[in-house]
Amino acid sequence: MKTEGMRLTKGILDEALIGGTILGGGGGGDAKKGRKYAEIAVQYADLQLIPVETLKEDDILLTASLVGAPNAPKQYMTARDLVKTVEILQKNCDFKIAGMITNEQGGEATVNGWLQAAVLGLPVVDAPCNGRAHPTGVMGSMNLHKRPDYRSVQACAGGDPQTGNHVEGFFEGTIDHTAKMIRQASIEAGGMVTVARNPVTVAYAKENCALGGVSFAIETGRAFCEGLKTSVEKAVESVCDFLQGRVLVRGIVENFGIETTGGFDVGYATVDGCELTFWNEYMTAEKDGKRIATFPDLIMTIDAQTGEPVTTAMMEDGLDVYVIATGKKNLRLSPTMFAPELLKAAEDVIQKELTKYL
């Protein structure tokens, strides 16, 4: 059993941001924004990523997340907002935090909680709620929606005070209702809020999280970066080998469309005849009338010229991209990714079948 932690350095951060963006599957936030606060975190203290097994079964883990539409033009948050969410929870609740975990993987998401942990003298625990990015808060809540006795507590902060959009909030209730309130707060804040939520015991997390999901993101980034020393093509080949995935197509982005609605980015694109749909994250890939990848399979785009992983918020017509994919069995996933009732919300938005492909 692994007992030693990994010191989170700038070098590790670089790999985490690349790997996290790839595992974001089109969502999970912007790596440039993730770097902004994570660089402070790795310089601030001896920040450690530790295995969950090093903690006691009844220790409490707290989830850090971002909620909103990555493409929203008026999103705004500060380092103070990130830490403030934890302070709001501590003010309203009675529990001692043993470590921070992230809700998912992504350019911003993989490093969710790093700054909070550094400032508060806590470790980052390698037990994320999910090992890929996903659109809804409930999908990143470790099956707590199935526990009618669980009372979710969530705190949020974000928005530009200069424009009157700054909001802070504390919500308590069911997972579904508090998640909806947080989503609404993100809209009022200009598109995005930072969130601290859902304290759970280590014992519960071990049964319901994506164990080792952060270190897996780091290893994914390492594989990609190693290949990139040779060429973009080699980087794509290397990460596909690591993820046991494949290149679906390479070509020019056409027919791209995106709309920010209800706190989500919704849209579609075509690459060399491969039709993609997304709801923050890529949901489906189809070619010649055949479904070739379906969420929670990982579908991702890579800029063929620069090697930069391209999120759905970064997509535009005319980009030359690789579209890669790997099956859900090759990822570190939470049980929520296999819950048909949670996929139904995505089906309603993109008007494509998902649950039949589970």
Side-chain angles (χ1 to χ4, degrees), residues 7 11 40 44 49 56 170 196 238 243 250 256 263 275 289 353:
R7 184 177 180 187
I40 299 172
Y44 191 97
L49 175 69
K56 298 176 182 177
F170 172 78
S238 179
L243 294 174
R250 176 189 171 177
F256 175 68
E275 298 176 353
E353 288 188 309

Side-chain angles (χ1 to χ4, degrees), residues 1-8 47-57 59 61 98-101 123-128 202-203 205-206 209-216 218 332:
M1 181 182 294
K2 182 179 179 182
T3 57
E4 295 182 357
M6 174 194 300
R7 184 177 180 187
L8 295 172
L47 187 62
Q48 296 283 324
L49 175 69
I50 66 169
V52 70
E53 294 85 359
T54 62
L55 298 174
K56 298 176 182 177
E57 294 286 281
D59 279 343
L61 304 179
M100 300 295 302
I101 60 176
V124 177
V125 183
D126 199 1
V202 164
K206 285 162 74 172
C209 74
L211 285 171
V214 176
S215 54
F216 188 72
I218 293 167
R332 308 288 177 91

Side-chain angles (χ1 to χ4, degrees), residues 272-336:
D272 190 31
C274 180
E275 298 176 353
L276 305 171
T277 63
F278 59 87
W279 189 34
N280 280 12
E281 289 74 28
Y282 291 113
M283 292 284 124
T284 62
E286 297 174 320
K287 190 166 188 183
D288 300 325
K290 180 182 178 182
R291 182 70 60 81
I292 53 178
T294 304
F295 182 93
D297 294 341
L298 184 74
I299 305 165
M300 187 55 187
T301 40
I302 309 290
D303 190 310
Q305 300 301 315
T306 67
E308 183 177 16
V310 178
T311 66
T312 57
M314 298 162 60
M315 282 282 275
E316 59 183 40
D317 283 329
L319 280 181
D320 180 10
V321 299
Y322 289 94
V323 181
I324 66 172
T326 191
K328 51 188 171 288
K329 68 181 183 300
N330 300 324
L331 305 172
R332 308 288 177 91
L333 298 180
S334 162
T336 58

Side-chain angles (χ1 to χ4, degrees), residues 13 22 69 74 199 211 313 355:
L13 171 61
I22 292 169
K74 296 182 180 179
L211 285 171
T355 55

